[in-house]
Amino acid sequence: MSFRTTNQTQTLGLRMSELFAVSHTGEEYIYVLNGSIVVHTEFYDLVTLGPGQSIYIDSSMGHAYLTAEGCDEAQVLGIMSSGDEELMQSLLDLYEDQKRTGTSSG
Protein backbone atom coordinates (compact mmCIF):
# COMPACT_ATOMS: atom_id res chain seq x y z
CA MET A 1 0.00 0.00 0.00
CA SER A 2 1.37 3.38 -0.89
CA PHE A 3 0.56 6.51 1.07
CA ARG A 4 0.16 9.96 -0.30
CA THR A 5 1.10 12.83 1.98
CA THR A 6 -0.56 16.20 1.65
CA ASN A 7 0.32 19.31 3.58
CA GLN A 8 -1.15 22.75 3.64
CA THR A 9 -1.37 25.76 5.88
CA GLN A 10 -4.76 27.08 6.74
CA THR A 11 -5.94 30.15 8.59
CA LEU A 12 -8.75 29.37 10.97
CA GLY A 13 -11.37 31.76 12.22
CA LEU A 14 -14.15 29.31 13.03
CA ARG A 15 -16.25 29.28 16.18
CA MET A 16 -18.01 26.36 17.88
CA SER A 17 -21.31 27.18 16.17
CA GLU A 18 -19.59 26.59 12.82
CA LEU A 19 -18.12 23.23 13.82
CA PHE A 20 -18.23 20.36 11.41
CA ALA A 21 -16.36 17.15 12.10
CA VAL A 22 -14.82 15.15 9.31
CA SER A 23 -13.30 11.71 9.13
CA HIS A 24 -11.21 10.20 6.37
CA THR A 25 -8.67 7.47 5.86
CA GLY A 26 -5.14 7.95 7.11
CA GLU A 27 -3.41 9.97 9.78
CA GLU A 28 -3.02 13.67 10.45
CA TYR A 29 -0.42 15.89 12.08
CA ILE A 30 -1.55 19.38 13.11
CA TYR A 31 1.03 22.04 14.03
CA VAL A 32 0.01 25.51 15.24
CA LEU A 33 2.02 28.29 13.59
CA ASN A 34 0.30 31.14 15.43
CA GLY A 35 -2.85 31.73 17.43
CA SER A 36 -4.55 29.06 19.50
CA ILE A 37 -6.88 26.20 18.50
CA VAL A 38 -9.06 23.60 20.18
CA VAL A 39 -8.93 20.13 18.64
CA HIS A 40 -12.20 18.19 18.87
CA THR A 41 -12.12 14.42 18.29
CA GLU A 42 -14.75 11.73 18.35
CA PHE A 43 -13.12 9.66 21.11
CA TYR A 44 -10.89 11.96 23.20
CA ASP A 45 -11.13 15.05 25.37
CA LEU A 46 -10.66 18.49 23.83
CA VAL A 47 -7.06 19.58 23.38
CA THR A 48 -6.03 23.24 23.26
CA LEU A 49 -2.85 24.00 21.31
CA GLY A 50 -0.84 27.20 21.02
CA PRO A 51 2.07 28.30 18.80
CA GLY A 52 4.69 25.58 18.40
CA GLN A 53 2.43 22.83 19.75
CA SER A 54 1.13 19.90 17.73
CA ILE A 55 -1.02 16.78 17.79
CA TYR A 56 -1.03 13.55 15.79
CA ILE A 57 -4.36 11.79 15.25
CA ASP A 58 -5.96 8.86 13.46
CA SER A 59 -8.08 10.65 10.85
CA SER A 60 -10.66 7.87 10.68
CA MET A 61 -12.29 9.26 13.85
CA GLY A 62 -14.37 12.41 13.55
CA HIS A 63 -12.25 15.50 14.15
CA ALA A 64 -12.23 19.26 13.75
CA TYR A 65 -10.07 22.14 14.88
CA LEU A 66 -11.37 25.58 15.73
CA THR A 67 -9.97 28.82 17.03
CA ALA A 68 -9.79 28.83 20.82
CA GLU A 69 -11.74 31.15 23.08
CA GLY A 70 -10.25 34.64 22.94
CA CYS A 71 -8.44 33.96 19.66
CA ASP A 72 -9.84 35.55 16.51
CA GLU A 73 -7.58 33.74 14.06
CA ALA A 74 -5.03 30.93 14.05
CA GLN A 75 -2.75 29.55 11.38
CA VAL A 76 -2.03 25.82 11.33
CA LEU A 77 -0.04 23.42 9.20
CA GLY A 78 -1.89 20.16 8.60
CA ILE A 79 -0.08 17.15 7.18
CA MET A 80 -2.28 14.24 6.14
CA SER A 81 -1.21 10.79 5.02
CA SER A 82 -3.62 8.49 3.24
CA GLY A 83 -3.83 5.83 0.57
CA ASP A 84 -6.66 7.88 -0.99
CA GLU A 85 -5.16 9.92 -3.82
CA GLU A 86 -8.26 12.14 -3.97
CA LEU A 87 -8.19 12.99 -0.24
CA MET A 88 -7.24 16.65 -0.53
CA GLN A 89 -9.78 17.48 -3.20
CA SER A 90 -12.58 15.66 -1.38
CA LEU A 91 -11.82 17.54 1.87
CA LEU A 92 -11.72 20.88 0.07
CA ASP A 93 -15.02 20.07 -1.67
CA LEU A 94 -16.62 19.11 1.66
CA TYR A 95 -15.40 22.31 3.30
CA GLU A 96 -16.66 24.52 0.46
CA ASP A 97 -20.06 22.75 0.37
CA GLN A 98 -20.57 23.17 4.11
CA LYS A 99 -19.34 26.75 4.05
CA ARG A 100 -21.71 27.61 1.19
CA THR A 101 -24.79 25.91 2.66
CA GLY A 102 -24.08 26.60 6.32
CA THR A 103 -24.62 22.93 7.21
CA SER A 104 -22.49 20.79 9.46
CA SER A 105 -21.94 17.12 10.03
CA GLY A 106 -20.94 15.57 13.32
Side-chain angles (χ1 to χ4, degrees):
M1 173 187 261
S2 64
F3 283 94
R4 183 176 184 88
T5 301
T6 303
N7 63 52
Q8 84 176 67
T9 61
Q10 183 171 6
T11 300
L12 302 176
L14 299 173
R15 293 281 172 234
M16 183 55 108
S17 61
E18 300 169 293
L19 174 65
F20 63 92
V22 296
S23 60
H24 51 85
T25 61
E27 300 165 326
E28 194 162 333
Y29 175 77
I30 305 154
Y31 179 84
V32 180
L33 298 167
N34 58 58
S36 182
I37 66 169
V38 178
V39 179
H40 297 254
T41 61
E42 185 176 2
F43 302 119
Y44 301 104
D45 291 337
L46 301 178
V47 176
T48 301
L49 301 174
Q53 294 182 313
S54 62
I55 191 168
Y56 184 81
I57 62 171
D58 176 347
S59 299
S60 64
M61 71 176 155
H63 61 282
Y65 19 107
L66 299 114
T67 51
E69 186 73 30
C71 180
D72 292 328
E73 187 174 277
Q75 187 176 32
V76 300
L77 170 66
I79 301 171
M80 295 165 257
S81 178
S82 173
D84 181 358
E85 291 189 20
E86 302 298 321
L87 172 64
M88 185 54 132
Q89 189 58 52
S90 65
L91 291 174
L92 290 172
D93 291 346
L94 175 65
Y95 173 75
E96 288 302 321
D97 287 347
Q98 291 180 345
K99 186 173 151 187
R100 184 177 54 255
T101 63
T103 62
S104 67
S105 63

